[in-house]
Amino acid sequence: MERLDNQKRSSTSEITTLPKRDYFLLPLLSFLTILVMLGASEIFTRLIWVQHKSYACVIEDPVEGDRFKPNCTERTKLAEGPWVTYSYNECGYRSITSCGPKPAGAIRIAITGSSMSQALHVPYEDTFFDRASRDLANRCGRPVDVQNLGVPGLSPIYAYRRIPEALALKPDVILYLVNPFDLEQKILPGELAERDNPTRVSSTLAAKIAPNPLRDLEHLLIQSRTVLVAQHFIFQNRETFIRTFMVYGDRADFLRQPFTPAWQQRFSDFDVILGSVAEKARAAGVPLVIVPVPSRVEAALLSSPQLPPHVDPFAFGREVEAIAAKHGVSYLDLMKPFGSIPNAENLYYTVDGHVQSDGHKVIAQELVRKLLEGSVPAFSHCAPRPSAERSQ
Amino acid sequence: MCRLFLIAPRGQARNGANNVGNASLSFLAYALAVVVIFNFSPSVAWRQFILLASSIGFLGFFSHQPAAFVPLAAFLLFGFVSLRLMQAGATRLFVPLLIVGIIAFAWFKKYAFIPPSLFLHYPYVTLGLSYILFRVLQLIIDARSRSATLLAKVSLVSYLNFTLNFTTLVSGPIQRYNQFASMQLAPDPLALNLIVAGQALHRVIVGFFKVNVLSPLLLWIHTNALHSLPPVQTSAARVLAIAAAVAVYPFYIYCNFSGYIDIVIGIARFLRIKLPENFNRPFSSRNYLIFWSRWHITLSTWLQIYVYAPLMLAGMRRWPSRATEPLLNIFALFVTFLLVGVWHGQTSAFILFGLLLGLGVSITKAYQVLMTKCMGLERYTEVSRYWLYGAAARGLTFLWCAFTMLWFWSNSTELRSVARPVRAWEIALAWIVILAGASVILALWESIREWALSFQFEDQPALASRYFRTVWDTALVVISIATITLLNAPPPDIVYKRF
């Protein structure tokens, strides 16, 4: 260093003005450095962290809500996850069985909701519904057929519109998975009143279609694999993840108490929607179970020794539970089992935020426990879970 | 825990203070504004006024309550009055003033040996008081000494600019007044051309990278290593975790502190002031005495002048024998470094820290004296030059440095708690791993560095050329900005990317 410093000092004393070429060369070098850094890091991360998207099976429908093509198969890979094959049956549901008439002696479960319901980025055999159906089939001594109507991005109002379709399957129970992100999707005034007349384009979808350069830039950054990899490592640190998530305003307000007017409105809208769903299910004599799936930040907060001020990770679930109780809907609490797992945030894909295989295992166990409790008649004859297994 | 060395991450986490006091973007923005205004005019009056206004403005970020600054103002006033008394020839007040100054400092800083009932029980600002103490003591001592060469009478504005200079207030470096005044009060300020500005900017960029990227990363490794110590781990994992937690911490402190120093040296250069260097590759030191001549250089220099030298002088006067000189030397070093430790914090842990520092330098000195006596100076110097000896000596120096720094991030009770799930032999093995690892890695680093510097361009190492520095600095800026952005931007929420 002395040598380096001495030479620096001597060179400083000798040179007092830059050669003319440097006025061009130095900025050029700087610019090239940025280009090379960005390019090299992007190429490197794209080679190591492969991601593959597919839209081959998607049918976009701004009125009825997106759905999947019947009898379609596609493979995708999330950079943080494994390759996943999605196979859709003749109704476009992520199910390995037919959506035709319920097989004799079988118990049928219909699932609705968004990406959490569809088990996005999770191989079929690891999904909560496949694990649960296998376990239930063993306990009940009867086949358990699952028809998964879940579609990523399906907001509560669209999920409501799919209820008649779900009921047409003659299920023994309907599971409705919901998470804070589903409720975030905006519902315009009037849209709720016209929920049974889906003739106009949803405000959510309209917003997607409207040009927005800022959002395009954000999408460009989201698509950068370098950013994704950096975030993957940074957000493995629970404290950093929680601290930065709380930077969000409205998006994080489902954690803050008391709820903001915007979130109160969302819960009020959801109250109406869930009431209507429950009404239809009741009319058809089908039990309905609502399953609020904790988000990654809620799970992280459950493991955190210290909560930020006014933050309550149980607030969202508590509110949904109250709405469910109001409409006589069964409620599956996942916060307790998630809270009993150290570092529960590791049950999720760090950047993507969806629950991964280990998390689906926990959901499956709790779902089986809930269904065997006796609230769903179809499972009343099945063997309850042994207590030792329950605690696993 | 010493608050003075920890500039960014822990400081922020601990007291939740504003961001301006740290090596943050806000601090750089503030400094940039000051630099622009400061360079409007080269006149001394303008430079004095802007430096004073910016330093007071900087303090204002830490509290908006005037009462919070009363203790600091009182201490500064005491210093100025003492200085004037010394310059007026009231030398019999010299010792009482020094004692009062040190007691006032300990009182304001709430040192543990003072009964808490005596403390001021309202929130007040003590930012930079530890460094202000050194500057005030230095002025009083130099003003009293006949051999001192204080530049005429120190005006109140010069005194305040010297003691409160916002670039050196938080964590030094500790500048000598003469050095400061020769630049700040010179009719022609130091030249600031494009080359100098480029070099100053280079210091700022490197420092910013050290504080905002390397420091958090090292602290993260240190914390994770500590968290991975539960007994469920294997012995090998525990040994590695202890070794990582202990060995990474000195590098964290180094990046944090030297990074801050790099930033303020760069900023001060834009303000036409050359601040003294405070670090010179300390981990390449082959013994603990050299380490302290390369680590926090301005602190050790200050203590060498104002503690070590007077102690040696007094000892030699009392026992004027060549035989006692080595013993006096060892004693003076011990006392000096004990004070270094005590100065670092208010609790008893820092007395232990000081004892360990004193022990380290005393044993090193005693070893040198003994080896010179046994082998002769020439042979000892020759042996010291061996590569293997150098590597082992470097490793041992690092080991002691890492050991003493245990009391920086912890105290004895916390250390016992950390060590509880670990067996004694695992701890011993971890220290051996650190010694061996440091010896090999630091020796390799030295060799690689030598090799890298051997490439020449325009009669200097290519690494020092402005072309390489441009590339290097650009890379550091990109990484720093990306890191800060990612660490402060919210994580992506679930986005229905498929649709």
Side-chain angles (χ1 to χ4, degrees), chain A residues 148-216:
Chain A
N148 192 331
L149 287 76
V151 177
L154 202 73
S155 70
I157 204 157
Y158 283 100
Y160 162 73
R161 286 173 188 157
R162 296 279 158 92
I163 289 298
E165 194 177 324
L167 290 171
L169 295 165
K170 307 283 180 206
D172 294 290
V173 62
I174 293 179
L175 303 179
Y176 179 19
L177 276 72
V178 67
N179 61 61
F181 315 113
D182 296 331
L183 265 65
E184 263 174 40
Q185 300 183 60
K186 202 174 176 184
I187 297 174
L188 287 177
E191 204 175 10
L192 197 60
E194 291 176 38
R195 60 188 178 278
D196 288 315
N197 304 305
T199 50
R200 65 181 208 179
V201 175
S202 151
S203 57
T204 314
L205 293 170
K208 282 180 194 169
I209 295 161
N212 185 339
L214 267 180
R215 198 186 54 232
D216 291 346

XYZ file of all heavy atoms in Angstrom, chain A residues 148-216:
536
model
N -59.693 -29.093 -9.152
C -59.105 -27.800 -8.761
C -59.442 -26.735 -9.799
O -58.903 -26.723 -10.903
C -57.597 -27.948 -8.614
C -56.980 -26.749 -7.938
O -57.493 -25.636 -8.051
N -55.894 -26.967 -7.236
N -60.312 -25.823 -9.406
C -60.737 -24.748 -10.328
C -59.862 -23.492 -10.175
O -60.143 -22.466 -10.782
C -62.204 -24.357 -10.055
C -63.298 -25.332 -10.500
C -63.399 -26.523 -9.568
C -64.640 -24.630 -10.581
N -58.843 -23.609 -9.356
C -57.993 -22.447 -9.079
C -57.281 -21.924 -10.315
O -56.794 -22.701 -11.132
N -57.247 -20.622 -10.441
C -56.557 -19.969 -11.564
C -55.759 -18.796 -10.998
O -56.322 -17.984 -10.240
C -57.566 -19.427 -12.616
C -56.835 -18.694 -13.727
C -58.400 -20.550 -13.195
N -54.479 -18.696 -11.331
C -53.705 -17.555 -10.811
C -54.370 -16.220 -11.141
O -54.835 -16.015 -12.270
C -52.357 -17.693 -11.528
C -52.246 -19.147 -11.799
C -53.640 -19.609 -12.099
N -54.425 -15.373 -10.158
C -54.971 -14.033 -10.366
C -56.479 -13.962 -10.252
O -57.064 -12.906 -10.503
N -57.110 -15.071 -9.905
C -58.573 -15.077 -9.831
C -59.014 -14.321 -8.578
O -58.856 -14.794 -7.463
C -59.079 -16.522 -9.776
C -60.521 -16.741 -10.206
C -60.663 -16.610 -11.718
C -61.005 -18.113 -9.774
N -59.582 -13.148 -8.788
C -59.976 -12.328 -7.642
C -61.249 -12.899 -7.017
O -61.941 -13.719 -7.638
C -60.208 -10.894 -8.111
O -61.357 -10.849 -8.903
N -61.577 -12.484 -5.802
C -62.751 -13.046 -5.139
C -64.031 -12.967 -5.976
O -64.838 -13.887 -5.963
C -62.861 -12.207 -3.864
C -61.458 -11.836 -3.568
C -60.818 -11.612 -4.900
N -64.185 -11.877 -6.718
C -65.432 -11.728 -7.490
C -65.511 -12.788 -8.598
O -66.578 -13.322 -8.898
C -65.570 -10.275 -8.016
C -67.044 -9.976 -8.268
C -64.763 -10.000 -9.251
C -67.362 -8.495 -8.246
N -64.369 -13.126 -9.208
C -64.340 -14.177 -10.225
C -64.500 -15.549 -9.583
O -65.151 -16.432 -10.140
C -63.032 -14.126 -11.016
C -63.006 -13.012 -12.027
C -62.349 -11.830 -11.779
C -63.681 -13.167 -13.246
C -62.351 -10.803 -12.703
C -63.682 -12.148 -14.177
C -63.011 -10.960 -13.904
O -63.019 -9.964 -14.817
N -63.866 -15.689 -8.418
C -64.012 -16.959 -7.708
C -65.487 -17.202 -7.399
O -65.985 -18.330 -7.515
C -63.185 -16.940 -6.426
N -66.173 -16.134 -7.045
C -67.613 -16.240 -6.766
C -68.355 -16.723 -8.005
O -69.241 -17.584 -7.941
C -68.146 -14.873 -6.308
C -69.638 -14.755 -6.403
C -70.456 -15.421 -5.506
C -70.226 -13.995 -7.425
C -71.837 -15.336 -5.612
C -71.587 -13.904 -7.534
C -72.397 -14.569 -6.627
O -73.761 -14.497 -6.741
N -67.985 -16.174 -9.172
C -68.671 -16.536 -10.416
C -68.421 -17.998 -10.808
O -69.131 -18.550 -11.631
C -68.223 -15.608 -11.538
C -68.820 -14.218 -11.399
C -68.219 -13.274 -12.415
N -68.650 -11.912 -12.161
C -67.995 -10.838 -12.566
N -66.872 -10.959 -13.238
N -68.451 -9.635 -12.307
N -67.332 -18.572 -10.263
C -67.038 -19.978 -10.582
C -67.787 -20.946 -9.657
O -67.700 -22.156 -9.845
C -65.532 -20.248 -10.425
C -64.642 -19.496 -11.375
C -64.583 -20.196 -12.744
N -64.178 -19.243 -13.758
C -62.910 -19.035 -14.121
N -61.961 -19.727 -13.564
N -62.625 -18.146 -15.050
N -68.469 -20.420 -8.669
C -69.120 -21.293 -7.685
C -70.192 -22.198 -8.327
O -70.228 -23.399 -8.059
C -69.670 -20.469 -6.500
C -68.499 -19.947 -5.641
C -70.624 -21.291 -5.623
C -67.628 -21.027 -5.006
N -71.042 -21.634 -9.217
C -72.012 -22.531 -9.862
C -71.322 -23.672 -10.607
O -71.788 -24.808 -10.591
C -72.752 -21.598 -10.830
C -72.597 -20.230 -10.239
C -71.249 -20.233 -9.610
N -70.213 -23.360 -11.242
C -69.446 -24.376 -11.976
C -68.930 -25.445 -11.001
O -68.972 -26.642 -11.293
C -68.270 -23.669 -12.675
C -67.579 -24.497 -13.715
C -66.474 -23.684 -14.408
O -66.649 -22.464 -14.617
O -65.428 -24.277 -14.703
N -68.472 -24.963 -9.846
C -67.962 -25.898 -8.834
C -69.098 -26.761 -8.287
O -68.943 -27.976 -8.116
C -67.289 -25.123 -7.704
N -70.238 -26.137 -8.067
C -71.377 -26.879 -7.508
C -71.905 -27.913 -8.513
O -72.398 -28.974 -8.118
C -72.487 -25.903 -7.099
C -72.165 -25.024 -5.871
C -73.237 -23.949 -5.689
C -72.049 -25.877 -4.614
N -71.768 -27.585 -9.799
C -72.223 -28.508 -10.839
C -71.443 -29.822 -10.806
O -71.892 -30.833 -11.342
C -72.098 -27.849 -12.204
N -70.277 -29.801 -10.186
C -69.449 -31.013 -10.081
C -69.950 -31.954 -8.990
O -69.401 -33.019 -8.781
C -67.991 -30.631 -9.784
C -67.253 -29.842 -10.864
C -65.977 -29.222 -10.302
C -66.917 -30.746 -12.040
N -70.986 -31.497 -8.259
C -71.558 -32.257 -7.143
C -70.485 -32.614 -6.108
O -70.314 -33.786 -5.738
C -72.232 -33.561 -7.649
C -73.234 -33.356 -8.756
C -74.526 -32.805 -8.184
C -75.568 -32.594 -9.287
N -76.535 -31.571 -8.982
N -69.757 -31.634 -5.651
C -68.694 -31.956 -4.684
C -69.275 -32.219 -3.295
O -70.401 -31.815 -2.997
C -67.847 -30.691 -4.677
C -68.807 -29.601 -4.980
C -69.856 -30.182 -5.892
N -68.487 -32.865 -2.459
C -68.892 -33.085 -1.062
C -68.457 -31.923 -0.185
O -68.947 -31.774 0.927
C -68.282 -34.386 -0.558
C -68.858 -35.576 -1.306
O -70.035 -35.883 -1.094
O -68.131 -36.158 -2.149
N -67.519 -31.179 -0.692
C -67.057 -29.983 0.030
C -66.379 -29.040 -0.970
O -65.796 -29.490 -1.950
C -66.093 -30.365 1.188
C -64.830 -31.045 0.679
C -65.705 -29.145 2.034
N -66.522 -27.757 -0.689
C -65.796 -26.771 -1.510
C -64.769 -26.096 -0.611
O -65.096 -25.638 0.493
C -66.739 -25.704 -2.104
C -67.689 -26.350 -3.119
C -65.945 -24.590 -2.776
C -68.679 -25.372 -3.748
N -63.528 -26.051 -1.101
C -62.470 -25.321 -0.377
C -62.222 -24.023 -1.117
O -62.031 -24.032 -2.338
C -61.165 -26.117 -0.345
C -61.193 -27.521 0.248
C -59.798 -28.135 0.156
C -61.645 -27.468 1.695
N -62.226 -22.957 -0.389
C -61.934 -21.660 -1.003
C -60.693 -21.091 -0.322
O -60.735 -20.696 0.837
C -63.149 -20.741 -0.852
C -62.961 -19.347 -1.419
C -61.959 -19.066 -2.355
C -63.809 -18.309 -1.051
C -61.807 -17.795 -2.872
C -63.653 -17.023 -1.566
C -62.635 -16.771 -2.472
O -62.476 -15.518 -2.978
N -59.582 -21.080 -1.073
C -58.340 -20.550 -0.524
C -58.221 -19.071 -0.859
O -58.465 -18.671 -2.002
C -57.123 -21.297 -1.087
C -56.761 -22.606 -0.374
C -57.787 -23.692 -0.687
C -55.371 -23.068 -0.752
N -57.856 -18.310 0.116
C -57.767 -16.866 -0.090
C -56.523 -16.348 0.626
O -56.074 -16.929 1.619
C -59.062 -16.181 0.422
C -59.189 -16.281 1.923
C -59.146 -14.737 -0.012
N -55.939 -15.299 0.082
C -54.796 -14.664 0.767
C -54.884 -13.158 0.563
O -55.692 -12.680 -0.242
C -53.469 -15.243 0.272
C -53.260 -15.022 -1.196
O -53.213 -13.883 -1.634
N -53.169 -16.091 -1.970
N -54.091 -12.395 1.306
C -54.226 -10.929 1.240
C -54.117 -10.364 -0.164
O -54.779 -9.385 -0.502
C -53.074 -10.434 2.115
C -52.797 -11.554 3.051
C -53.084 -12.808 2.298
N -53.315 -11.003 -1.010
C -53.117 -10.456 -2.353
C -54.399 -10.550 -3.180
O -54.633 -9.735 -4.058
C -51.981 -11.197 -3.066
C -50.791 -11.382 -2.179
C -50.413 -12.638 -1.759
C -50.071 -10.281 -1.739
C -49.334 -12.792 -0.919
C -48.987 -10.435 -0.894
C -48.615 -11.692 -0.480
N -55.212 -11.569 -2.885
C -56.489 -11.690 -3.617
C -57.396 -10.510 -3.301
O -58.069 -9.979 -4.176
C -57.199 -12.992 -3.219
C -56.397 -14.223 -3.615
O -55.657 -14.135 -4.612
O -56.497 -15.244 -2.924
N -57.397 -10.131 -2.043
C -58.292 -9.040 -1.632
C -57.790 -7.672 -2.100
O -58.556 -6.715 -2.168
C -58.440 -9.031 -0.105
C -59.659 -9.780 0.431
C -59.541 -11.266 0.131
C -59.818 -9.559 1.918
N -56.493 -7.613 -2.391
C -55.924 -6.328 -2.841
C -56.519 -5.879 -4.160
O -56.563 -4.696 -4.458
C -54.418 -6.486 -3.056
C -53.573 -6.049 -1.902
C -52.130 -6.388 -2.162
O -51.661 -6.226 -3.296
O -51.473 -6.844 -1.206
N -56.931 -6.845 -4.964
C -57.402 -6.498 -6.310
C -58.663 -5.646 -6.217
O -59.625 -6.007 -5.557
C -57.638 -7.777 -7.106
C -56.340 -8.569 -7.227
C -56.499 -9.808 -8.062
O -56.848 -9.722 -9.227
N -56.268 -10.957 -7.472
N -58.575 -4.529 -6.929
C -59.583 -3.495 -6.766
C -60.942 -3.887 -7.367
O -61.009 -4.504 -8.425
C -59.074 -2.211 -7.443
C -59.730 -0.964 -6.939
C -59.053 0.242 -7.575
C -59.759 1.503 -7.163
N -59.199 2.673 -7.834
N -61.972 -3.537 -6.656
C -63.334 -3.750 -7.181
C -63.973 -2.373 -7.324
O -64.009 -1.597 -6.368
C -64.160 -4.615 -6.215
C -63.521 -6.007 -6.082
C -65.603 -4.729 -6.692
C -64.163 -6.888 -5.041
N -64.442 -2.076 -8.530
C -65.044 -0.758 -8.754
C -66.456 -0.697 -8.167
O -67.123 -1.729 -8.063
C -65.122 -0.465 -10.256
C -63.817 -0.133 -10.948
C -64.072 0.061 -12.443
C -63.188 1.128 -10.374
N -66.897 0.508 -7.813
C -68.277 0.621 -7.328
C -69.224 0.121 -8.422
O -69.047 0.433 -9.596
C -68.460 2.126 -7.088
C -67.090 2.705 -7.088
C -66.207 1.795 -7.847
N -70.187 -0.642 -8.077
C -71.117 -1.167 -9.081
C -70.748 -2.566 -9.521
O -71.615 -3.374 -9.855
N -69.423 -2.840 -9.533
C -68.962 -4.152 -9.992
C -69.479 -5.252 -9.055
O -69.843 -6.341 -9.495
C -67.432 -4.168 -10.024
C -66.860 -5.194 -10.979
C -65.358 -5.101 -11.086
O -64.730 -4.373 -10.273
O -64.803 -5.760 -11.962
N -69.499 -4.901 -7.771
C -69.941 -5.868 -6.772
C -71.437 -6.144 -6.929
O -71.883 -7.301 -6.858
C -69.636 -5.314 -5.369
C -69.649 -6.305 -4.225
C -68.622 -7.404 -4.413
C -69.374 -5.569 -2.915
N -72.188 -5.062 -7.206
C -73.638 -5.212 -7.365
C -73.964 -6.048 -8.595
O -74.963 -6.762 -8.633
C -74.282 -3.828 -7.458
N -73.088 -5.965 -9.603
C -73.341 -6.682 -10.860
C -72.583 -8.007 -10.901
O -72.281 -8.516 -11.970
C -72.894 -5.819 -12.040
C -73.751 -4.591 -12.272
C -73.187 -3.735 -13.393
O -72.686 -4.291 -14.382
O -73.229 -2.502 -13.244
N -72.269 -8.543 -9.729
C -71.406 -9.718 -9.690
C -72.031 -10.942 -10.391
O -71.298 -11.844 -10.808
C -71.016 -10.066 -8.260
C -72.141 -10.375 -7.309
C -71.606 -10.506 -5.881
N -72.674 -10.751 -4.921
C -73.454 -9.807 -4.391
N -73.303 -8.545 -4.770
N -74.388 -10.114 -3.518
N -73.343 -10.924 -10.507
C -73.979 -12.060 -11.185
C -74.178 -11.805 -12.678
O -74.674 -12.663 -13.387
C -75.329 -12.370 -10.520
C -75.132 -12.991 -9.154
O -74.266 -13.893 -9.060
O -75.785 -12.560 -8.183
N -73.818 -10.613 -13.121
C -73.968 -10.286 -14.555
C -72.623 -9.893 -15.147
O -72.343 -8.713 -15.357
C -74.948 -9.113 -14.722
C -76.276 -9.421 -14.077
O -76.894 -10.437 -14.384
N -76.688 -8.581 -13.147
N -71.771 -10.834 -15.377
C -70.411 -10.518 -15.842
C -70.378 -10.101 -17.302
O -69.904 -10.827 -18.160
C -69.666 -11.835 -15.621
C -70.715 -12.888 -15.752
C -71.990 -12.286 -15.289
N -70.914 -8.937 -17.571
C -70.966 -8.505 -18.960
C -69.908 -7.470 -19.290
O -69.651 -7.169 -20.429
C -72.344 -7.886 -19.265
O -72.609 -6.921 -18.254
C -73.416 -8.955 -19.296
N -69.319 -6.898 -18.268
C -68.335 -5.864 -18.585
C -66.948 -6.278 -18.081
O -66.802 -7.107 -17.189
C -68.739 -4.527 -17.981
C -68.749 -4.527 -16.469
C -69.182 -3.186 -15.991
N -68.582 -2.924 -14.681
C -68.775 -1.819 -14.020
N -69.502 -0.845 -14.534
N -68.224 -1.634 -12.854
N -65.963 -5.644 -18.674
C -64.579 -5.994 -18.365
C -64.254 -5.562 -16.937
O -64.607 -4.470 -16.523
C -63.635 -5.283 -19.366
C -62.186 -5.532 -18.997
C -63.919 -5.770 -20.763
N -63.632 -6.455 -16.214
C -63.273 -6.156 -14.829
C -62.280 -5.000 -14.766
O -61.446 -4.831 -15.642
C -62.646 -7.396 -14.200
O -61.745 -7.036 -13.216
N -62.421 -4.225 -13.705
C -61.495 -3.100 -13.535
C -60.066 -3.600 -13.416
O -59.123 -2.977 -13.892
C -61.860 -2.331 -12.280
O -61.840 -3.202 -11.176
N -59.873 -4.764 -12.798
C -58.527 -5.312 -12.621
C -57.909 -5.609 -13.973
O -56.774 -5.255 -14.258
C -58.616 -6.617 -11.806
O -59.465 -6.398 -10.707
C -57.248 -7.076 -11.374
N -58.724 -6.257 -14.823
C -58.195 -6.603 -16.128
C -58.033 -5.368 -17.000
O -57.091 -5.265 -17.773
C -59.109 -7.617 -16.805
C -59.117 -8.989 -16.106
C -60.205 -9.878 -16.664
C -57.765 -9.648 -16.260
N -58.951 -4.425 -16.839
C -58.840 -3.189 -17.608
C -57.542 -2.477 -17.266
O -56.851 -1.949 -18.139
C -60.025 -2.286 -17.308
N -57.209 -2.508 -15.980
C -55.969 -1.858 -15.542
C -54.756 -2.540 -16.153
O -53.764 -1.906 -16.466
C -55.886 -1.900 -14.031
N -54.888 -3.853 -16.352
C -53.761 -4.579 -16.954
C -53.577 -4.172 -18.410
O -52.476 -4.106 -18.912
C -54.026 -6.080 -16.896
C -53.773 -6.704 -15.546
C -54.063 -8.188 -15.634
C -54.159 -8.788 -14.254
N -54.691 -10.138 -14.286
N -54.700 -3.908 -19.059
C -54.650 -3.605 -20.490
C -54.170 -2.165 -20.730
O -53.436 -1.895 -21.661
C -56.047 -3.827 -21.127
C -56.386 -5.326 -21.040
C -56.086 -3.361 -22.560
C -57.850 -5.633 -21.192
N -54.551 -1.239 -19.844
C -54.190 0.168 -20.031
C -52.676 0.351 -20.037
O -51.986 -0.244 -19.223
C -54.800 0.994 -18.907
N -52.148 1.162 -20.992
C -50.699 1.345 -21.045
C -50.179 2.103 -19.822
O -50.844 3.030 -19.346
C -50.484 2.158 -22.330
C -51.793 2.784 -22.625
C -52.855 1.930 -22.009
N -49.062 1.684 -19.301
C -48.484 2.317 -18.127
C -46.955 2.149 -18.180
O -46.428 1.084 -17.847
C -49.062 1.667 -16.863
C -48.585 2.360 -15.599
O -47.565 3.049 -15.607
N -49.319 2.174 -14.524
N -46.243 3.200 -18.653
C -44.787 3.063 -18.827
C -44.057 2.717 -17.529
O -43.101 1.953 -17.541
C -44.360 4.457 -19.326
C -45.599 5.157 -19.719
C -46.739 4.528 -19.007
N -44.542 3.278 -16.415
C -43.878 2.992 -15.137
C -43.971 1.510 -14.794
O -43.022 0.900 -14.329
C -44.521 3.819 -14.017
C -43.870 5.168 -13.727
C -44.610 5.862 -12.601
C -42.396 5.014 -13.369
N -45.186 0.959 -15.053
C -45.370 -0.463 -14.756
C -44.510 -1.310 -15.705
O -43.950 -2.327 -15.313
C -46.836 -0.839 -14.885
C -47.163 -2.155 -14.173
C -48.588 -2.610 -14.420
N -48.879 -2.695 -15.846
C -49.916 -2.111 -16.427
N -50.746 -1.388 -15.731
N -50.119 -2.239 -17.718
N -44.383 -0.829 -16.966
C -43.550 -1.563 -17.918
C -42.102 -1.608 -17.431
O -41.433 -2.634 -17.526
C -43.603 -0.895 -19.301
C -44.991 -1.058 -19.921
O -45.768 -1.890 -19.401
O -45.275 -0.338 -20.900
